[in-house]
């Protein structure tokens, strides 16, 4: 066991690590395709309003719970009231299930890095993707490889592992993203792509768009799984909660926007449907890269970008479970990391096979991979967030004063925390199920 709770070595390391957690496949892969499917600019507007005024509340709650209690997710809930321990476990179960599909995508990324690196670029990516993902050995092997690469960092500890990984990978990530975005806006379809992103068509507005936008906002900020509680528990005493929350939101949103600025001009230049969906990153984009001069170069740096984004998020998921196992079972960091890795390995193997031999194995009509994604993102995420808001708002005396202050701003946040955000989340859950 670590004797003393570790602390981020500086405020900036803390911000980089939380941004590393927040910025992931959710920004680069999920956000553009969801925006594409939901009409572009009008979705973006809804999303921005929700993230700035609604999602900031549970984000502040998780940061504050971490800072106030300085414990892992389970013990945080237990310290508030021993009866709440169960909710801590729910967070841990969810955050252990997310990697079981997220890391399968991580394995695909490794495969694409390999094909662009070795210049074995296939002619038809649609065919290539479906034949590759339905194989047995390679997807499983690469999923496990991605898991091991990620697990190395929580294994080495907060400062030597997690902090170092983020401090190196996140700046490289930002650099590659800017290069790709600049390249994209020099393409012939740039104007059309930017119009699609920034010129709202109000006739496309609908109710289900609000739900999708909220789900996306929670997922991209890593809220609802105790991850931010865990990262917040390593926070320095003088770190400001609301300011950190808005810094995180700004960075995450800027990166999601840059991802859109990188993708839509290319999409319009090559005449792909912006609503192509989940296959955008693994079929449409590589197909376009293949047509460019230096195709291997753009393909390679795009997938390295995805790799950095997903590994820093993966680290934060594993760390949440590792911290919980360490504190609850009183075991060492190393042992907790090995156990977490083993559990995830066992579940992600059948999940990686969902596109091939196990494609007929269905839970509620979905393959294991789709079921894990649906169950964690659409049900557990809003549910856990609701519980966190209700507990923080109603069960901890004067919580809002400690977090938001007693000013007018604080009072507004208190009303949002106690009433408005829970009502919206209940609405999302009921409609979602
Ligand atoms: N936010 C990450 C992304 O956008 C995903 C993620 C990391 C996450 N940790 C999480 C989502 C914890 C929910 C809970 O890809």
């Amino acid at each position: 066991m670590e004797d003393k709770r570790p602390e981020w070595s500086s405020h900036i390391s803390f911000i980089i690590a939380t941004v590393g957690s927040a910025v992931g496949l959710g920004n680069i892969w999920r956000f553009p395709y969801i925006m594409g499917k939901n009409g572009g600019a009008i979705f973006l507007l809804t999303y921005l309003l929700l993230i700035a005024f609604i999602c900031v509340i549970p984000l502040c709650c998780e940061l504050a719970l971490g800072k106030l209690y300085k414990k892992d997710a389970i013990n945080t809930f237990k310290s508030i009231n021993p009866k709440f321990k169960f909710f801590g476990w729910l967070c841990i179960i969810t955050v252990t299930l997310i990697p079981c599909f997220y890391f399968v995508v991580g394995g695909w990324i490794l495969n694409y890095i390999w094909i662009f690196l070795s210049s074995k670029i296939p002619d038809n990516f649609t065919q290539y993707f479906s034949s590759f993902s339905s194989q047995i050995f390679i997807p499983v092997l690469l999923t496990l490889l991605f898991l091991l690469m990620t697990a190395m960092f929580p294994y080495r500890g907060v400062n030597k592992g997690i902090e170092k990984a983020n401090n190196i990978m996140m700046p490289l990530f930002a650099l590659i993203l800017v290069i790709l975005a600049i390249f994209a806006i020099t393409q012939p379809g740039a104007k059309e792509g930017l119009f699609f992103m920034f010129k709202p068509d109000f006739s496309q507005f609908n109710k289900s768009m609000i739900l999708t936008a909220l789900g996306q906002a929670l997922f991209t900020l890593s809220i609802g799984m105790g991850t931010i509680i865990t990262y917040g528990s390593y926070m320095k005493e003088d770190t400001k909660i609301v300011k950190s929350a808005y810094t995180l939101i700004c960075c995450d949103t800027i990166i999601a926007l840059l991802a859109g600025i990188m993708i839509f001009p290319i999409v319009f230049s090559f005449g792909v449907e912006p609503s192509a969906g989940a296959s955008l990153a693994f079929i449409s984009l590589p197909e376009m890269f293949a047509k460019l001069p230096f195709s291997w170069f753009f393909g390679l740096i795009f997938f390295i970008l995805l790799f950095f984004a997903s590994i820093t998020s993966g680290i934060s998921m594993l760390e949440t479970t590792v911290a919980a196992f360490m504190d609850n079972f009183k075991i060492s960091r190393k042992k907790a990391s090995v156990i977490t890795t083993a559990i995830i390995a066992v579940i992600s193997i059948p999940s990686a096979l969902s596109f091939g031999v196990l494609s007929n194995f269905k839970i509620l009509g979905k393959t294991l991979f789709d079921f894990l994604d649906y169950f964690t993102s659409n049900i557990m995420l809003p549910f856990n967030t609701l519980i966190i808001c209700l507990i923080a708002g109603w069960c901890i005396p004067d919580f809002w004063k400690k977090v938001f202050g007693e000013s007018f701003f604080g009072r507004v946040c208190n009303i949002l925390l106690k009433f408005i955000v829970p009502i919206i989340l209940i609405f999302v859950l009921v409609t979602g199920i």
Side-chain angles (χ1 to χ4, degrees), residues 18-28 30 94-95 98 102 216-228 252 309-310 312-318 320 376 381:
T18 34
V19 172
S21 165
V23 171
L25 296 175
N27 301 60
I28 310 289
R30 203 162 181 263
T94 323
V95 82
I98 294 183
Y102 204 92
Q216 170 63 19
L218 294 176
F219 187 84
T220 189
L221 292 177
S222 310
I223 301 176
M225 312 276 162
T227 298
I228 300 292
D252 187 81
S310 51
T312 49
S313 298
I315 291 172
S316 77
M317 299 175 196
L318 297 187
T320 313
T376 52
L381 219 111

Side-chain angles (χ1 to χ4, degrees), residues 4 43 133 136 149 208 226 256 321 325 334 337 410:
K4 198 174 156 286
F43 174 84
S133 60
I136 296 180
M149 289 165 98
S208 81
T321 312
F325 284 180
K334 302 217 147 97
S337 309

